[in-house]
């Protein structure tokens, strides 16, 4: 059974910069998909009105509080 995703569509998040993520970004989640093979959620972001094609894992993101 799938657990509830850590981030919801429309939630503001920021990308944790590290080895796999070299571009700092702050945006909103515009898509959440369940990856059956990896058994975890993948998240798609929208930054300044533009969709980012990269998939992010929950570990790559932090909730951004205004």
């Amino acid at each position: 059974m799938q657990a509830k995703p850590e981030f919801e569509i429309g939630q503001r998040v920021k990308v944790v910069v590290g080895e796999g993520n070299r571009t700092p970004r702050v945006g909103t989640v515009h898509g959440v998909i369940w990856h059956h093979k990896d058994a975890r959620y993948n998240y798609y972001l929208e930054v300044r009105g533009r969709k980012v094609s990269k998939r992010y894992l929950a570990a790559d993101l932090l909730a951004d509080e205004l």
Side-chain angles (χ1 to χ4, degrees):
M1 184 173 171
Q2 301 171 14
K4 183 180 173 192
E6 288 188 45
F7 302 101
E8 298 178 4
I9 292 176
Q11 184 173 355
R12 190 173 162 91
V13 295
K14 59 184 170 181
V15 174
V16 177
V17 177
E19 189 173 318
N21 302 307
R22 296 190 175 147
T23 305
R25 291 187 166 114
V26 177
T28 57
V29 176
H30 83 82
V32 179
I33 62 163
W34 176 255
H35 192 291
H36 292 282
K37 185 177 177 183
D38 293 342
R40 57 186 171 182
Y41 286 100
N42 285 221
Y43 301 89
Y44 290 96
L45 303 184
E46 185 174 309
V47 178
R48 287 186 229 122
R50 300 188 73 181
K51 294 178 181 175
V52 178
S53 61
K54 180 175 172 45
R55 291 186 302 194
Y56 293 95
L57 301 174
D60 297 328
L61 303 171
L62 291 173
D64 187 42
E65 306 298 328
L66 292 176

